[in-house]
Amino acid sequence: MSEGMIEFRKEFFADERDDTLKEIGRPTRRQDILGHVTGRSPFYDDHLFQGLLHMRCARSPHHAARIRRIDTAEAERSPGVVRVLTGRDVPLNLNTLLSLLDFGIDDEPLLSTDRVRYRGEPVAAVIAETEAQARAAAAKVRIEWDPLPHVLDVEEAIRPGAPAVLDVYPGNRFVYHGTYDHQKLRYGDVEAAFRAADHIVEGRYQMSPIEQAPIETCGAIAAPETNDRFVCYTSTQALFFSLATTAKVLQTPSSRLHFIGGTVGGGFGGKVDSVHEPLAVLGAMLTGRPVKFMWDREEEMQVGAPRGAERWYIKDGVMRDGRIVARKFTGYFDSGAYTRLTSYAVIKAVGHLPGPYTIPNVHADVSCVFTNRTPATAMRGFGITGVDFAIEAHMDKVAETVGMNPIDLRILNAYRDGDMKAHRRLAKNCALIECCQVVAEKAGVQLSNASRAASSRQGGGGDRALLPAYTALDQAGRVSGFEGGSYARKAARSRPAPQPVPPAPGPIGRRATTQPPPQSAPQRPRAAEPPPAAAATPPPPPPRQGPIRFSSLSGFRRR
Amino acid sequence: MPKKPVTFMLNGAEQAAFADDGQNLLDLLRRGVGDLAPKYGCGQGGCGACTVLIDGVPHLSCLVLAETVDGRRIETASGLAGARLHPLQEAFMAHFAAQCGYCTPGMLMAAKALLDQNPRPSREEVVEAISGNLCRCTGYEPIIEAILSVANGGARA
Amino acid sequence: MALHRGRGFAAINYPIGMNLGGDPSQALVHSNPDGKFTVTLSSIDLGQGMKSVTRQIAAETLGIPVEDVYVDTADSDTGPHCMGSFASRGTHRVGNAVIQAAQEARAVMLEAAAEELEVDPGDLVTDGAGNIHVRGAPSRSITTMAACQAAQFRQGRTVSGRGIFLIPLSEVDPDTGEMTPVSCFAHAAMIVEVEVDDETGEVRVTDMKSAYEVGRALNPKLVEQQLRGGAWMGMSHAAWETTEPYYPDRAHGPVDFTSYLMPGPGDIAPHHISILERPAPDGPFGGKGPGEMCANPVLPAVVNAVYDAVGVRIDELPVTPEKVLRGLRAQGGARPRRRL
């Protein structure tokens, strides 16, 4: 019988819960399920329009190429075609998704004009009366390409002399804080701990890209609404993110946009990139008619952003009793050809290390690397899934090395309430140990007495709450030519290089370092000018105004 | 381009529409007739979200040429409920057999076709019947349970 | 020519909400004249049950039956700002915003009832069945409908509320990586059992036993939906899916579901789930979000199980028959470990 059981282990943490609530905790039928079983749930495409037009893109067949010429004449003459869009139709044809959070440099065009950086990159958008006509016409867009050298492996991409994927990051790595080509985690002194360890366990782990593969593909339908506004029905996972991105790229006030969504046929992280809404709205603006832009399944798989590949190197220093005393990570996130969200995934991953374990010495260098492949984006477990795969596969190797039951090993090293974590915050509300115990019991795995007696609420804190007496710092991976300062304010000073002084032990929870507060996002390198915008001369980018700025990650500004 | 008139029964009512040259049935149902229940998931016959019944047999409407359904009897999820919901619809709701709901219309039609032919299928027969309908959300177990609960003549906990 | 069984273990935690914070969500709650409430959001239901869980949260906070609450989302003209549905932030952020908005609306409703009953609002309780009455004196009561009607048409009150939940943005230190990633974590542990065919290299997942700690199961069936579906996706991620089967080479990238493989209904394994609840101090009724972490432990558990079964370490996902066979060949055949 293939049914699985489900049980609620209410006895755990019962003293921390009030289980007498009325509506909370009930298996109430979903509000939307009647709509689902009657076919009435309104997904974005379940809206009918008179005169709906269909958009399909002409795309690059090359991993990297210069565009010598885009000739849309034959496509424009193709039956049913109403309009063909290219980059010069896009008011602000350069963006990065997280500019809304003031994080990163605009690096990606909506429709490329002079250069492509991945196979599938869109160059022209054909709008026609039927989808079949749009498809036929897109094949008639004539583009003259000069293929360029490309790079597909993350460690090759960061070697000197590798083809530069993006002009703004010539080393093929996102620049953090205007200072380093990776994000560091430094906690204690791993090298000293390795020297003192009984065992060293090393591993290399690779996760390939995968598709979010929702059954509903990404898409949007935009139409002129009353009062010179535009309605956009969208499959987005983030309504205002998409609206603000559209407002920015189309240089239109956000008040002119009316976005409707909320019922989506699966997302899993793949419906945040906001590429459909700007093109659909632009199409509606320029044709005066409703325009639908949707990925077919092939595009969803090979053009739509996947979960990016990750490569992790882990080195553990382990004592013979199974305590992990040092853990060193080198991680490479494959961002593909543009930044999108991977820059942020790296930070999330770093904040997660070394996993749910109390390890007194942790060191990590994690990079967002650019390669000539489909840009990556979020997917369920974003920033975490890949490194957790690596960590937990690695833990089994550690268990084998010390000859310990793998579950006992987890419990021994598990974090407990009050423990200091490698990102220098105290752990609380822990429950890893209890989860391990329940699984062992269900699976009939005999645990040690110590494991069976362990609790997340005991044994933590005390000495385990202290910051390390000394943390080894370094300047490796410094880059030059990127100014400190907010992305929005271009005139800030560069920050000085911090001095690697071993700090005095600080009180619990406070930073023990004496460094100046971190400054802001990378600026584009002063030496390099932004690449020329298009074949025709576009209007100069207007002074920054208008785009909704949600908050600011850029400089991780001081609160 | 000349359009072909197509007349067919849809969920028990006569429909007439004009099919474009090469138009598939999914598109005709959704945009031509306004039945939005069958969904586009791939257009390649690989996901089953477009499943409808033609003369009681499950078909992938994205691969059916619209003009070929002239004179045929089509059923979609829009027509499952009459005065009351179909037992499969009740079972899907009770068993939480839908999350995003996008695969559900096609899944229901595949299940209906099975139960109309074989009112008491085994678990293996249910699995076989829905193997052409991809679900990315549920992990399939609740869907199988829902269908079996109808097959066994009542809801099962 | 043999099938080998093995088991693999993994344990994880998962950060709840957008990393570093700075991701607000808002909610508006208001009553129509008859005491039926609408929760207005711009949050997105991807299938995870956003509309359903926020409905229950609002009903609990308002003290009325869930049938009297409807969640409306997402329209940028009428819905207040929400950062979006990702990073397991929905229940935590939007849930808290809904609580704040519902608390404000409830306070007005109780003031209206108090005025009608001529008591102090602090003396009133809701029974969760559509009535407001004096604590300890259930006969001195008024329906929520009557209270809202009175508020609207006699007293001139708006039975409505606004809510926002924002965790302030954290810094990140460039040299140490010090940061405040999130305020709470969910947890999971899992044992996966596999069967490996040493002639074909095929790996079949035959059983999963898990424990998930989710803060509070606001709706146990919605949580179960996520855990079952997520574990299935984790299994698929471990041994079926890839957009680049020869990564970093882009050749043979799948373009349809015939070549993009996922387990079908005949491939699924029984999954025995245990749910633990350690409420997050800042979660809505302690809730954390199970939507992402449900998949994560399966990936390493599967590779650990393959090693346990045949002694082949696969460090590159997905596990494929080719990788298993190459591993077997390199070591001269299956070397079962059977440690777990």
Side-chain angles (χ1 to χ4, degrees), chain C residues 67-157:
Chain C
E67 293 75 26
D68 287 351
V69 179
Y70 182 75
V71 173
D72 180 59
T73 191
D75 184 322
S76 66
D77 273 4
T78 51
H81 173 257
C82 171
M83 203 79 175
S85 291
F86 49 83
S88 296
R89 65 182 299 279
T91 297
H92 194 262
R93 310 296 204 244
V94 183
N96 278 323
V98 169
I99 288 176
Q100 186 180 53
Q103 282 173 339
E104 186 174 6
R106 173 189 167 87
V108 180
M109 184 173 70
L110 291 185
E111 282 171 24
E115 190 174 315
E116 295 302 298
L117 294 175
E118 296 175 332
V119 298
D120 191 274
D123 295 334
L124 292 176
V125 295
T126 47
D127 68 356
N131 300 297
I132 304 167
H133 64 83
V134 175
R135 187 181 291 106
S139 58
R140 294 194 61 196
S141 84
I142 182 175
T143 63
T144 52
M145 180 193 299
C148 291
Q149 286 169 335
Q152 163 94 333
F153 292 108
R154 279 209 293 285
Q155 303 172 13
R157 294 183 203 270

Side-chain angles (χ1 to χ4, degrees), chain C residues 251-293:
Chain C
H252 304 292
V255 295
D256 58 33
F257 286 117
T258 313
S259 42
Y260 192 82
L261 303 176
M262 301 187 289
D267 298 311
I268 58 180
H271 180 190
H272 309 283
I273 302 171
S274 301
I275 295 183
L276 284 65
E277 299 166 274
R278 187 176 190 192
D282 69 344
F285 303 101
K288 306 174 189 176
E292 286 183 283
M293 59 99 166

Side-chain angles (χ1 to χ4, degrees), chain B residues 37-62:
Chain B
K39 304 293 183 205
Y40 172 94
C42 69
Q44 303 157 325
C47 73
C50 67
T51 303
V52 302
L53 304 190
I54 303 180
D55 298 330
V57 178
H59 282 73
L60 299 163
S61 60
C62 73

Side-chain angles (χ1 to χ4, degrees), chain A residues 36-37 45-46 212 297, chain B residues 30-31 39 41 89 136:
Chain A
H36 290 350
V37 301
D45 193 38
D46 293 336
Q212 297 84 3
R297 184 53 65 175
Chain B
R30 288 180 61 80
R31 301 226 167 260
K39 304 293 183 205
Q89 291 173 307
R136 192 57 166 155

Side-chain angles (χ1 to χ4, degrees), chain C residues 202-255:
Chain C
E202 284 176 283
V203 173
R204 205 163 67 85
V205 176
T206 53
D207 192 80
M208 295 197 270
K209 293 183 169 59
S210 63
Y212 290 94
E213 187 278 309
V214 300
R216 186 188 293 270
L218 301 175
N219 178 322
K221 291 301 280 184
L222 292 185
V223 170
E224 184 181 352
Q225 282 193 314
Q226 286 302 297
L227 300 182
R228 290 209 185 282
W232 170 87
M233 190 177 273
M235 182 171 120
S236 189
H237 193 342
W240 273 262
E241 299 181 39
T242 173
T243 52
E244 294 193 38
Y246 297 101
Y247 179 85
D249 190 315
R250 295 213 67 188
H252 304 292
V255 295

Side-chain angles (χ1 to χ4, degrees), chain A residues 394-555:
Chain A
H394 199 71
M395 288 297 271
D396 253 33
K397 292 181 187 166
V398 171
E400 191 176 50
T401 300
V402 299
M404 200 169 173
N405 175 299
I407 307 180
D408 284 331
L409 180 76
R410 282 8 181 246
I411 294 175
L412 174 67
N413 288 285
Y415 74 156
R416 291 149 165 84
D417 289 352
D419 287 353
M420 180 57 67
K421 301 169 76 172
H423 54 265
R424 299 164 191 264
R425 299 291 179 269
L426 290 173
K428 57 177 164 59
N429 195 240
C430 306
L432 192 80
I433 290 172
E434 288 75 11
C435 288
C436 292
Q437 292 167 332
V438 168
V439 168
E441 168 205 317
K442 293 203 307 189
V445 176
Q446 185 68 15
L447 295 180
S448 70
N449 291 335
S451 290
R452 273 180 292 140
S455 156
S456 292
R457 302 197 281 193
Q458 288 161 20
D463 282 351
R464 293 159 66 107
L466 297 176
L467 288 166
Y470 166 66
T471 288
L473 300 174
D474 60 82
Q475 297 286 298
R478 270 192 92 91
V479 298
S480 58
F482 287 82
E483 270 189 356
S486 158
Y487 175 58
R489 302 190 313 270
K490 300 200 175 201
R493 288 189 323 243
S494 310
R495 53 187 298 278
Q499 303 307 308
V501 174
I508 292 168
R510 295 236 300 271
R511 285 165 54 165
T513 59
T514 54
Q515 292 165 357
Q519 294 285 12
S520 329
Q523 276 293 343
R524 81 174 50 91
R526 250 194 293 217
E529 288 304 316
T537 43
R544 286 186 70 85
Q545 61 180 353
I548 298 165
R549 190 68 49 69
F550 292 157
S551 62
S552 179
L553 287 184
S554 75

Side-chain angles (χ1 to χ4, degrees), chain C residues 160-216:
Chain C
S160 62
R162 307 152 303 161
I164 183 169
F165 187 75
L166 169 63
I167 292 184
L169 187 65
S170 164
E171 299 174 325
V172 178
D173 188 295
D175 292 285
T176 64
E178 176 178 357
M179 71 179 91
T180 305
V182 289
S183 59
C184 60
F185 297 80
H187 303 85
M190 179 174 283
I191 281 189
V192 168
E193 182 181 81
V194 302
E195 191 178 76
V196 181
D197 184 324
D198 66 13
E199 185 175 355
T200 64
E202 284 176 283
V203 173
R204 205 163 67 85
V205 176
T206 53
D207 192 80
M208 295 197 270
K209 293 183 169 59
S210 63
Y212 290 94
E213 187 278 309
V214 300
R216 186 188 293 270

